[in-house]
Amino acid sequence: MNLRSDNEAPGAPQILQALIAANAGPAHAYGRDGWSEQLNERFSEVFETDTLVYPVATGTAANALAVAQACPPYGAVFCHQTAHLNVDECGAPEFYAHGAKLVPLAGAHGKLAPDPIRAAIDLLGDDVHQPQPALLSLTQATECGTVYSRTEIEALTALARAHGLRCHLDGARFANALVATGATPAALTWRAGIDLMSFGATKNGALGAEALLFFDRALAAGFARRRMQAGHLLSKQRYASAQLLAYLDQDLWLVTARRANEAARRIGAALDAHPQATLIHPVEINQVFARLEPELDATLRAAGIEYLSWPGEPDLYRMVAPYNLEEQQLERFEALLEVGAAG
Amino acid sequence: MNLRSDNEAPGAPQILQALIAANAGPAHAYGRDGWSEQLNERFSEVFETDTLVYPVATGTAANALAVAQACPPYGAVFCHQTAHLNVDECGAPEFYAHGAKLVPLAGAHGKLAPDPIRAAIDLLGDDVHQPQPALLSLTQATECGTVYSRTEIEALTALARAHGLRCHLDGARFANALVATGATPAALTWRAGIDLMSFGATKNGALGAEALLFFDRALAAGFARRRMQAGHLLSKQRYASAQLLAYLDQDLWLVTARRANEAARRIGAALDAHPQATLIHPVEINQVFARLEPELDATLRAAGIEYLSWPGEPDLYRMVAPYNLEEQQLERFEALLEVGAAG
Amino acid sequence: MNLRSDNEAPGAPQILQALIAANAGPAHAYGRDGWSEQLNERFSEVFETDTLVYPVATGTAANALAVAQACPPYGAVFCHQTAHLNVDECGAPEFYAHGAKLVPLAGAHGKLAPDPIRAAIDLLGDDVHQPQPALLSLTQATECGTVYSRTEIEALTALARAHGLRCHLDGARFANALVATGATPAALTWRAGIDLMSFGATKNGALGAEALLFFDRALAAGFARRRMQAGHLLSKQRYASAQLLAYLDQDLWLVTARRANEAARRIGAALDAHPQATLIHPVEINQVFARLEPELDATLRAAGIEYLSWPGEPDLYRMVAPYNLEEQQLERFEALLEVGAAG
Amino acid sequence: MNLRSDNEAPGAPQILQALIAANAGPAHAYGRDGWSEQLNERFSEVFETDTLVYPVATGTAANALAVAQACPPYGAVFCHQTAHLNVDECGAPEFYAHGAKLVPLAGAHGKLAPDPIRAAIDLLGDDVHQPQPALLSLTQATECGTVYSRTEIEALTALARAHGLRCHLDGARFANALVATGATPAALTWRAGIDLMSFGATKNGALGAEALLFFDRALAAGFARRRMQAGHLLSKQRYASAQLLAYLDQDLWLVTARRANEAARRIGAALDAHPQATLIHPVEINQVFARLEPELDATLRAAGIEYLSWPGEPDLYRMVAPYNLEEQQLERFEALLEVGAAG
């Protein structure tokens, strides 16, 4: 039972089928194929606004290119200190944005709050020795497995906008946030003040499909060439586009996210009930963060449960439910924990 | 009949099957999967030397990252003026290498010769006002559809090396060059003085699989992080790796390249025999460059033959044979030309 | 008699005095000193329009920062193939502009003409594989010692503007061009369609003072931080600013430029009359380009005349008249040539 | 009495005289002048080892170019959170090093200690998602006005070296540290494990003269072109070089630093004795950091004492003694404080 990362699950059957179908014959290259040409319209429907869609190879590319597009080299990007673009991308945003400065901020359960952002903006001031506040980047769902409500996002983007910042959303697990909140895609993004977002499908059922979405057409000016210059315009883009279309088709993304979230809820509940486990964040999507006593950790591993140790904190572990866990796997996990709890 | 680009063909059945097989269950992310872990060994066999393999999303990424790895920001890269990295990558090499200067050189049929390289190196001299000669990049097969022999490559790399340059090969159509020359992969690369190469499979039967190969382990120092920082480490890398393995398996790459080259040979021969067509380059791989009189151009297009006009030269056209042209398509093309020639 | 470069002359007495005066007491740092605070107003008077002035350490910095400010990383800059930013700055524009592509163009006597620019723009087209035409950079006076008339500049900037490009002027020898044409600073810059310019004083009497001027306030947005990030905001900027003010004061810049131009005119005339010398460009400012037969070259050098051999062309030489040549030096040069001519 | 910044003092008479002397006649450009050609030898004497000296326009340029030279784009630089390169350079190091990540660390009184560095290196680990530990940058004297002893530096550089890092020193106030410790230049730099340093003269008596010094010749490979590409090779470099030579001549730098340190000592002592002032850092060089009650602040300002409020901390102030404070100014300051203390 692999709870290491949602990046380790295979693609969903529907998405694999779409990819196979896309391979039936010739198609124009560089995004002029029939699948790619549906993207803007399809996403515009789903997001209920004019949306420009640029597939890229990875979520890191989406984030880093978003920063480069929305922040000058002498600008500052405010993000949570746990944000993927701050701690997991080997400096990709700084590289792509030619030196832009990330300003990592603290906040409970991976979530930013207005006050630290305001304080950080004020600290930079308007002296040329400090970078210009330029971009707010939120992660939805967060790296701690929590979600922002629409109201929370609005409060943050309003603050940002009042200081002249643009607003980016890292949506590597956006579908999980959608089903967690019950909100519409529009409500959690542009209606809440988001200008552009990294849209991830890979962790939630695609074989590999990520895109950068722009809700503000003016902000996308020149982006097609920026993506090309980054080596992120796929020559046979149809395969990525076909995956993205299948991902949205018949709400597949919500179906898979719901399954993953529900699986995590049960994993979290089982752990929460166990005396040797302590959840450190609310379980709101498909991620569970828990402190485990060594005995419990050993028991789980002995039973073939795979999950990651959290860097720098010896007894902290992350379990991520992929979209394709089966009922019997979950029941087995629960049984394992109940026995332990009984003991 | 699509002769627009080998990027427009679908993936070969064997490669699609490999991709489907790779989707059977969970696998570790970020290149720690079973397919990716075979890459170094498999390519080392094929190239008969210790080879490090880094999949990336596109050929542009492979080229640009190669330049960044082998040339400092204040360095100069010598390449043919038609080279993909000079004219088709929207400044990707300069972007990735932080300002490195491409020095485009002329040469018949897309091939570099020693004298212009020597002259260009001498012209830069050793003054700090000019970039430091750092890298030679050859394209094999060339953008004009021609190939370098091992001896030709050796002459160029020896010159480069004598001036302290490293040597890169853009092998977007490397398989086509292999079957055109009958040489081994080793003979056309490291044995001929190449240090690193962009290895392309996408144009020759993959759905999307490109890699940067290092024949010099020291030159690869730090590259894993450079790729990550570029957003080119695929989280589910298994799908790219499985394609690359299938591409080499049972010499599939040579089979597809041979078919494509042979198809182009027939297309070229048919055109060459036609009074309204003039080949402008030898047809050595799967590309045919021809000047067509308007009447012939109209005839071909009316018959549903698709191919590209060459930018900046009104009567010049490129036809590229994909690996999967069928015998009857070729016969039809030939028949079309014979009728025209008879008339 | 040093005719190697106008960079080898010392500063003019008036500028040295200004520098000494600026050293009399404390002054605010980072451009908030009394001298720096006069710059915008003083240059606005001289250029007869609202002008923003940013001193930087070198002409290379002014050019490269101008490109970075006015051209995106995925953009193209059209310039003459002899332009300083193309051949003498070790890739500084590409570095600062993060990969922007220079498109060097030919043109007689160092001057660009509309047709090659139009052809180059058309060749790039609007495909994402090629950089976006973004900036035209003219050099006034040119690297061949010639000058553009206002009408010529207008023709080029009108073409540029029609294609959406901004227009930059490299004015390392702008004063020489002014006195050569008799035009006003305004006529040769913003009135002729120039948006921003590198303003050089170092070659014409300053110890070291260069600046980037913006005639379009919107285009300067963020530039103060860009300069800071480049390490080109001088902490004790007063010394650069005091030089710039003294340079303009009582038309000193025109006085020194006139002396230099007149000296070059006499040098050129003397060479032109000599059978062993051939001028290859009109002598319009303080630079003379001539082919010399070996005997004449030897004679001049034996007489202690220092000047540069032109790279890549064995019998071509450049002589640059600094602003401070003395009458007797010129007379001696003329006498030297007359004797030779007589023989 | 200006205690705002040592950047606000004029140049020392000896340095101005050197600059005037350097203006006497023509000299070769781009560092081939007689002054520049003495730099390596002169600094090698002073530092008792082979030292390469590259003048640049600003301390920010020296720091940022040092980072670019010693840290790859995917590398991490460990520095104190108050370090100039972290908080005062608008992202210059990240810009020049193409995305390299600064890892700011806490430490009492502006000084780094081994444990936080070790922990930060360990936290990055060797995963490609995190930047590669590459460089340690120490500031000597620190931004809090304190100094590292040779032993302290050795402990930090030994730790760094054990993890494969290179070691940089930001010596914007290096002379102040020298006289504070009584150590030799060698003892505080290469003998203590420093590979390269930013050498500042501007804050201690120069009009404007900064340089990057390399104690490791191999590490400087290519640097001349890197500086050129950055626009930091001054065409008339003689003026910077003449200042640097005069700065070292007859130990001028130590004389001026000693005066500045002694002045700050007296300022600090006067404040320390006053009930409304609290020093927050030891006064070891020419900087005094103190919390002042509003009444005292008002008294000082009313008396014409100028100094800076510290950003983000309402009652915290910095006073910096320039090298040229006069005895009567200090006595007046002391008298002012004594009266207040008596009250």
Side-chain angles (χ1 to χ4, degrees):
Chain A
M1 184 174 177
N2 185 326
L3 304 176
R4 292 167 43 89
S5 167
D6 29 17
N7 273 327
E8 304 209 344
Q14 299 92 323
I15 289 182
L16 182 63
Q17 284 310 315
L19 198 152
I20 293 169
N23 199 49
H28 286 189
Y30 300 114
R32 299 200 196 89
D33 62 89
W35 297 266
S36 298
E37 289 184 339
Q38 293 176 52
L39 289 177
N40 288 353
E41 187 178 338
R42 188 70 185 98
F43 275 80
S44 294
E45 277 172 25
V46 169
F47 281 87
E48 303 174 59
T49 193
D50 183 34
T51 304
L52 294 178
V53 185
Y54 294 90
V56 293
T58 64
T60 293
N63 283 342
L65 284 165
V67 171
Q69 188 73 5
C71 177
Y74 46 83
V77 182
F78 301 88
C79 63
H80 195 276
Q81 61 191 11
T82 62
H84 201 267
L85 50 74
N86 187 44
V87 293
D88 289 313
E89 300 184 349
C90 198
E94 293 94 334
F95 166 75
Y96 270 106
H98 312 296
K101 195 110 174 171
L102 300 189
V103 180
L105 301 170
H109 303 308
K111 290 167 70 173
L112 289 170
D115 284 351
I117 298 175
R118 190 180 295 111
I121 292 174
D122 288 350
L123 189 60
L124 288 186
D126 60 0
D127 190 297
V128 297
H129 289 80
Q130 278 82 44
Q132 175 184 314
L135 185 67
L136 172 68
S137 180
L138 305 177
T139 309
Q140 171 80 312
T142 74
E143 297 292 329
C144 296
T146 54
V147 297
Y148 290 100
S149 69
R150 173 176 172 171
T151 311
E152 287 171 324
I153 296 175
E154 281 172 344
L156 297 171
T157 61
L159 168 64
R161 223 161 277 278
H163 288 84
L165 281 67
R166 307 306 298 254
C167 300
H168 167 254
L169 195 74
D170 177 357
R173 291 189 182 90
F174 182 64
N176 303 87
L178 278 185
V179 301
T181 58
T184 64
L188 288 190
T189 56
W190 64 275
R191 282 208 177 107
I194 299 297
D195 297 303
L196 75 173
M197 80 175 283
S198 305
F199 182 91
T202 309
K203 291 179 195 289
N204 187 36
L207 286 78
E210 305 284 321
L212 188 56
L213 312 186
F214 289 89
F215 304 118
D216 175 344
R217 195 168 274 263
L219 186 57
F223 185 75
R225 282 192 171 87
R226 191 184 290 276
R227 177 179 59 158
M228 175 67 215
Q229 189 176 30
H232 279 287
L233 172 57
L234 300 163
S235 61
K236 295 184 173 177
Q237 188 181 293
R238 56 167 134 168
Y239 301 112
S241 301
Q243 290 186 66
L244 288 169
L245 294 173
Y247 185 66
L248 298 181
D249 196 33
Q250 297 187 295
D251 288 342
L252 175 62
W253 61 323
L254 304 183
V255 173
T256 50
R258 202 168 282 124
R259 280 187 63 183
N261 284 11
E262 171 60 13
R265 192 197 57 74
R266 286 170 62 179
I267 289 168
L271 287 169
D272 198 30
H274 194 286
Q276 296 185 9
T278 311
L279 300 182
I280 65 161
H281 299 304
V283 179
E284 298 179 356
I285 57 157
N286 68 329
Q287 299 197 77
V288 180
F289 290 83
R291 297 197 185 282
L292 303 183
E293 293 187 19
E295 187 189 336
L296 178 55
D297 178 44
T299 301
L300 292 172
R301 297 198 184 272
I305 317 292
E306 299 179 69
Y307 48 92
L308 295 184
S309 302
W310 209 238
E313 301 205 42
D315 63 343
L316 181 57
Y317 303 93
R318 186 189 73 166
M319 298 180 187
V320 187
Y323 74 94
N324 66 344
L325 279 186
E326 293 174 14
E327 176 61 25
Q328 70 193 72
Q329 290 179 298
L330 283 167
E331 286 173 4
R332 189 164 157 267
F333 185 91
E334 288 167 335
L336 207 60
L337 270 286
E338 277 164 30
V339 171
Chain B
M1 184 173 175
N2 185 326
L3 304 176
R4 291 168 43 90
S5 167
D6 30 15
N7 272 327
E8 304 209 345
Q14 299 93 324
I15 289 181
L16 182 63
Q17 284 310 315
L19 198 152
I20 293 170
N23 198 50
H28 286 188
Y30 299 114
R32 299 202 196 86
D33 61 89
W35 296 267
S36 298
E37 289 185 338
Q38 292 176 53
L39 288 177
N40 287 353
E41 188 177 339
R42 188 70 185 98
F43 275 79
S44 294
E45 276 171 27
V46 168
F47 280 87
E48 304 175 59
T49 193
D50 183 33
T51 303
L52 295 178
V53 184
Y54 295 90
V56 293
T58 64
T60 292
N63 282 342
L65 284 164
V67 171
Q69 187 73 5
C71 178
Y74 46 82
V77 182
F78 301 88
C79 63
H80 195 276
Q81 61 191 12
T82 62
H84 201 268
L85 49 73
N86 187 44
V87 294
D88 290 313
E89 300 184 348
C90 198
E94 293 94 335
F95 166 74
Y96 270 106
H98 312 294
K101 194 109 176 171
L102 299 190
V103 180
L105 300 170
H109 303 310
K111 291 167 70 174
L112 289 170
D115 284 351
I117 299 174
R118 190 180 296 111
I121 293 174
D122 288 350
L123 189 61
L124 288 186
D126 60 358
D127 189 297
V128 298
H129 289 78
Q130 279 81 45
Q132 176 182 313
L135 184 66
L136 172 68
S137 179
L138 304 176
T139 309
Q140 172 79 312
T142 74
E143 296 293 329
C144 297
T146 55
V147 297
Y148 290 100
S149 69
R150 171 174 175 174
T151 311
E152 287 173 324
I153 297 176
E154 282 172 345
L156 297 172
T157 62
L159 168 64
R161 223 161 278 280
H163 288 85
L165 280 67
R166 306 308 296 256
C167 300
H168 167 254
L169 196 73
D170 177 356
R173 292 189 182 91
F174 182 65
N176 303 84
L178 278 184
V179 301
T181 58
T184 64
L188 288 190
T189 57
W190 63 275
R191 283 208 176 107
I194 299 298
D195 298 303
L196 75 173
M197 80 176 281
S198 304
F199 183 91
T202 308
K203 291 179 195 289
N204 187 36
L207 285 78
E210 305 284 321
L212 187 56
L213 312 186
F214 289 89
F215 304 118
D216 176 343
R217 195 168 274 266
L219 186 57
F223 186 74
R225 281 191 172 86
R226 191 184 290 277
R227 178 179 57 158
M228 175 65 214
Q229 190 175 28
H232 279 287
L233 172 57
L234 300 162
S235 62
K236 296 183 173 176
Q237 190 181 292
R238 56 167 134 167
Y239 300 111
S241 301
Q243 289 186 67
L244 288 169
L245 294 172
Y247 184 66
L248 297 181
D249 197 31
Q250 296 186 294
D251 287 342
L252 175 62
W253 60 325
L254 304 184
V255 172
T256 49
R258 202 168 283 126
R259 281 187 63 184
N261 284 11
E262 171 60 12
R265 191 195 59 73
R266 287 171 62 180
I267 289 167
L271 287 169
D272 198 29
H274 194 286
Q276 295 185 7
T278 311
L279 301 182
I280 66 159
H281 299 304
V283 179
E284 298 180 357
I285 58 159
N286 68 330
Q287 298 198 76
V288 179
F289 289 83
R291 296 196 185 282
L292 303 183
E293 293 186 19
E295 187 190 337
L296 177 56
D297 179 43
T299 302
L300 293 173
R301 297 202 185 268
I305 317 292
E306 299 180 66
Y307 49 92
L308 296 185
S309 301
W310 208 238
E313 302 205 39
D315 62 342
L316 181 57
Y317 302 93
R318 187 189 72 166
M319 298 179 186
V320 187
Y323 74 94
N324 66 343
L325 280 186
E326 292 174 16
E327 176 60 24
Q328 69 193 72
Q329 290 180 298
L330 283 167
E331 287 173 4
R332 190 165 156 268
F333 185 92
E334 288 166 335
L336 205 61
L337 271 285
E338 277 164 30
V339 170
Chain C
M1 183 174 177
N2 186 326
L3 304 176
R4 291 168 45 91
S5 167
D6 29 16
N7 273 326
E8 305 209 344
Q14 298 91 325
I15 291 183
L16 182 63
Q17 283 311 316
L19 199 151
I20 293 169
N23 199 51
H28 286 189
Y30 299 115
R32 299 200 197 89
D33 60 89
W35 296 267
S36 299
E37 290 185 338
Q38 293 176 51
L39 288 177
N40 288 353
E41 188 179 338
R42 188 70 185 97
F43 276 78
S44 295
E45 276 171 24
V46 168
F47 280 87
E48 303 174 59
T49 192
D50 183 33
T51 303
L52 295 178
V53 184
Y54 294 91
V56 293
T58 64
T60 293
N63 282 342
L65 285 165
V67 171
Q69 187 73 5
C71 178
Y74 46 82
V77 181
F78 301 88
C79 63
H80 196 275
Q81 60 191 10
T82 61
H84 202 268
L85 49 73
N86 186 44
V87 294
D88 289 312
E89 300 184 349
C90 198
E94 294 94 336
F95 166 75
Y96 270 106
H98 312 296
K101 195 108 174 171
L102 299 190
V103 180
L105 301 171
H109 303 310
K111 291 167 70 175
L112 289 170
D115 284 351
I117 298 174
R118 190 180 296 112
I121 292 174
D122 288 350
L123 189 61
L124 288 186
D126 60 358
D127 189 297
V128 298
H129 289 80
Q130 278 80 46
Q132 175 183 313
L135 184 66
L136 171 67
S137 179
L138 305 177
T139 309
Q140 172 80 315
T142 74
E143 296 292 329
C144 296
T146 53
V147 298
Y148 290 100
S149 69
R150 173 174 174 174
T151 311
E152 287 172 325
I153 296 176
E154 281 172 344
L156 298 171
T157 61
L159 169 64
R161 222 161 279 279
H163 288 84
L165 281 66
R166 307 306 299 254
C167 301
H168 167 254
L169 195 73
D170 177 357
R173 292 189 182 91
F174 183 64
N176 303 86
L178 278 185
V179 300
T181 58
T184 64
L188 288 190
T189 58
W190 64 274
R191 284 209 175 106
I194 299 297
D195 297 304
L196 75 173
M197 79 175 284
S198 305
F199 183 91
T202 309
K203 291 179 196 290
N204 187 35
L207 285 79
E210 304 283 321
L212 188 55
L213 311 187
F214 289 89
F215 304 118
D216 176 343
R217 195 168 275 265
L219 186 57
F223 186 74
R225 280 191 172 87
R226 191 184 290 277
R227 178 179 59 159
M228 175 66 215
Q229 190 176 29
H232 279 287
L233 172 57
L234 300 162
S235 61
K236 296 183 174 178
Q237 188 182 293
R238 57 167 132 168
Y239 300 112
S241 301
Q243 289 185 66
L244 288 169
L245 294 173
Y247 185 65
L248 298 181
D249 196 32
Q250 296 187 294
D251 287 341
L252 175 63
W253 61 324
L254 304 184
V255 173
T256 49
R258 203 167 282 126
R259 280 187 65 182
N261 284 12
E262 171 60 13
R265 191 195 60 71
R266 287 171 62 179
I267 290 168
L271 288 169
D272 198 29
H274 194 285
Q276 297 186 8
T278 311
L279 301 183
I280 66 161
H281 299 306
V283 179
E284 297 180 357
I285 56 157
N286 67 330
Q287 299 198 76
V288 179
F289 290 84
R291 296 197 187 282
L292 303 183
E293 292 187 22
E295 188 190 335
L296 177 56
D297 179 42
T299 301
L300 292 172
R301 296 200 186 271
I305 317 293
E306 298 180 69
Y307 49 92
L308 295 185
S309 301
W310 208 239
E313 302 206 42
D315 62 342
L316 182 57
Y317 302 93
R318 186 188 72 166
M319 298 179 186
V320 187
Y323 74 94
N324 66 343
L325 279 186
E326 293 173 15
E327 176 62 24
Q328 70 194 73
Q329 289 180 299
L330 283 167
E331 286 173 6
R332 191 166 153 267
F333 185 90
E334 288 166 335
L336 206 60
L337 269 286
E338 275 163 33
V339 171
Chain D
M1 184 174 176
N2 185 326
L3 304 176
R4 291 167 44 90
S5 168
D6 30 16
N7 273 326
E8 304 209 344
Q14 299 91 326
I15 290 182
L16 182 64
Q17 283 311 315
L19 200 151
I20 293 170
N23 199 49
H28 285 188
Y30 299 115
R32 298 200 197 88
D33 61 88
W35 296 267
S36 297
E37 290 186 338
Q38 293 176 52
L39 288 177
N40 287 354
E41 188 177 338
R42 188 69 186 99
F43 275 80
S44 294
E45 276 172 25
V46 168
F47 280 87
E48 303 175 59
T49 192
D50 183 33
T51 303
L52 294 178
V53 184
Y54 294 90
V56 293
T58 65
T60 293
N63 282 342
L65 285 164
V67 171
Q69 186 73 4
C71 178
Y74 46 82
V77 181
F78 302 89
C79 63
H80 195 276
Q81 60 192 12
T82 62
H84 201 268
L85 48 74
N86 186 45
V87 294
D88 290 312
E89 300 184 350
C90 197
E94 294 94 336
F95 166 75
Y96 270 106
H98 312 295
K101 195 108 174 170
L102 299 190
V103 181
L105 301 170
H109 302 310
K111 291 166 71 174
L112 289 170
D115 284 351
I117 298 175
R118 190 181 295 110
I121 292 174
D122 288 351
L123 188 61
L124 288 186
D126 60 359
D127 189 297
V128 298
H129 289 79
Q130 279 79 45
Q132 175 182 312
L135 184 66
L136 172 67
S137 179
L138 305 177
T139 309
Q140 173 79 315
T142 74
E143 296 292 330
C144 297
T146 54
V147 297
Y148 290 101
S149 69
R150 171 175 175 172
T151 310
E152 288 171 324
I153 296 176
E154 280 172 345
L156 298 171
T157 62
L159 167 64
R161 222 161 278 279
H163 288 84
L165 281 66
R166 305 307 297 256
C167 301
H168 166 254
L169 195 73
D170 177 357
R173 291 190 181 91
F174 183 63
N176 303 86
L178 277 185
V179 300
T181 59
T184 65
L188 287 190
T189 58
W190 65 274
R191 282 209 176 105
I194 299 298
D195 297 305
L196 75 172
M197 80 175 283
S198 304
F199 183 91
T202 308
K203 290 179 195 290
N204 187 36
L207 285 78
E210 304 284 319
L212 187 56
L213 311 187
F214 289 89
F215 303 118
D216 176 342
R217 195 168 274 265
L219 186 57
F223 185 74
R225 280 191 173 86
R226 191 184 290 277
R227 178 180 57 159
M228 175 66 215
Q229 190 175 30
H232 279 288
L233 172 57
L234 300 163
S235 60
K236 296 184 174 176
Q237 190 182 291
R238 55 167 134 168
Y239 300 111
S241 301
Q243 289 185 66
L244 287 168
L245 293 173
Y247 185 65
L248 298 180
D249 196 34
Q250 295 187 294
D251 286 343
L252 174 62
W253 61 324
L254 304 184
V255 172
T256 49
R258 202 167 282 126
R259 281 187 64 183
N261 284 11
E262 172 60 12
R265 193 196 59 71
R266 287 171 61 180
I267 290 167
L271 289 168
D272 199 30
H274 193 286
Q276 295 185 8
T278 312
L279 300 182
I280 66 160
H281 299 304
V283 179
E284 298 180 358
I285 55 159
N286 67 330
Q287 299 197 77
V288 179
F289 289 83
R291 296 196 186 283
L292 304 183
E293 293 186 21
E295 187 190 335
L296 176 54
D297 179 42
T299 301
L300 292 172
R301 295 198 186 271
I305 317 292
E306 298 180 68
Y307 49 92
L308 296 184
S309 300
W310 208 238
E313 301 205 44
D315 62 342
L316 181 57
Y317 302 92
R318 186 189 72 166
M319 298 178 187
V320 187
Y323 74 93
N324 65 344
L325 279 186
E326 292 173 16
E327 176 61 25
Q328 70 193 72
Q329 290 179 298
L330 283 167
E331 286 174 4
R332 191 166 155 264
F333 185 92
E334 288 167 335
L336 206 61
L337 270 287
E338 276 165 29
V339 171

